[in-house]
Structures are given as C-alpha cells and as structure tokens.
Amino acid sequence: MALAAALLAATAGLSSSATATATATATAAASTVSSSSDTSDTVAGGANAARHGQVSGRARVFYRYSPHDDIRFSVDAKAAPFSRPINGLPHGMPTDARGTVTISHWSPGKKQGRRAEASVDCLVTGGDSATLSAVVTKSEDPEEIGERLGFSVKNGGPGK
C-alpha cells in the first residue's frame, strides 16, 4: 500500500459533498480558501501580499475501493508569487506558493498505516476553489519521497 496512491489517484475536495474522482470524496473538518484577482503585485511580501490566495483545512477522504481505510489530509498553503526562480524564468511564476500538506492513511484490513509530508510549490485559487501541487519531503516509505501530488479543494466551511 502506497500512502499517496489513493491521494495521487484521487484529487480530494474539502467539502462533504465534493466528489474528488468517481471513487473518492472528502469530508471537511475545517477549511478556508481565499483568492484574489489582483495580480499587480509581482513581489512576494509586497504591498498586496495579504491579498494573494491561500488554502487551509483538513479532510477525510472516502475511497470507494477501500471503504474501511482512514485516509486524511491537511493543508496550509499561501501563494508566494514570483518567489521560486527556475530555468528560463529567473523571477519564478505567479503560481509559486509555500506551505505543507500532511497525509495519513490507515488500512485496518492490512493493519498498517503511513504518514507523509509534502511541500507545496504551486497554488491557484479562484472563488471558493483552489488547486495546488506539492512534493513529498518526508514519508515512512522512502520510495515516496520526491513524488508530486496534486489536490483540488473547494471551500465547504467548517462542518460543511
């Protein structure tokens, strides 16, 4: 069982009614998605930094093929536009972000579980939704380190 397999295959939402894929849904304990259409601030930490998108919350994912598994994730990410220089883009990209995703997966049938942490590097927000990607930096399975994960989340609000 790969910890991230269900989450890598399923993009999870932070809403009790959100369908992540045909086989996975998430139930929110708490979530916040905020966005800004203002892209005039091109330097992270500038005058408009507080207006950039962010997402935080936690959810439990129901995965139809493993209905008894306890799969949870939490996310705390903030946009940091133009903060990660890469080849050909010395100033980075408007979607640059910082933050952490924590994932846990317990399989009672197999009596095993895993935890992992991933570093958020990209975040796009719009309205009550956000899409982010992160790279696994810590895992109980060394083969998962370096894997890229993607998440799409919808603001359901606490208990929604």
Side-chain angles (χ1 to χ4, degrees), residues 55-137:
V55 60
S56 62
R58 59 183 184 254
R60 182 173 181 193
V61 177
F62 174 77
Y63 192 55
R64 173 182 278 162
Y65 298 108
S66 302
H68 301 293
D69 285 13
D70 185 7
I71 305 167
R72 299 174 188 253
F73 73 94
S74 64
V75 61
D76 185 16
K78 292 182 173 88
F82 303 102
S83 63
R84 294 182 45 243
I86 57 174
N87 292 338
L89 297 169
H91 301 289
M93 298 178 56
T95 56
D96 290 347
R98 294 188 179 101
T100 304
V101 175
T102 303
I103 307 151
S104 65
H105 184 169
W106 170 253
S107 177
K110 296 179 182 180
K111 294 187 176 158
Q112 70 181 57
R114 294 227 176 87
R115 283 185 51 83
E117 266 189 30
S119 178
V120 175
D121 59 3
C122 181
L123 173 65
V124 177
T125 60
D128 64 352
S129 300
T131 300
L132 60 112
S133 64
V135 176
V136 176
T137 55

Side-chain angles (χ1 to χ4, degrees), residues 11-39:
T11 311
L14 287 181
S15 169
S16 59
S17 62
T19 301
T21 67
T23 58
T25 56
T27 304
S31 63
T32 303
V33 174
S34 67
S35 62
S36 171
S37 59
D38 182 1
T39 56

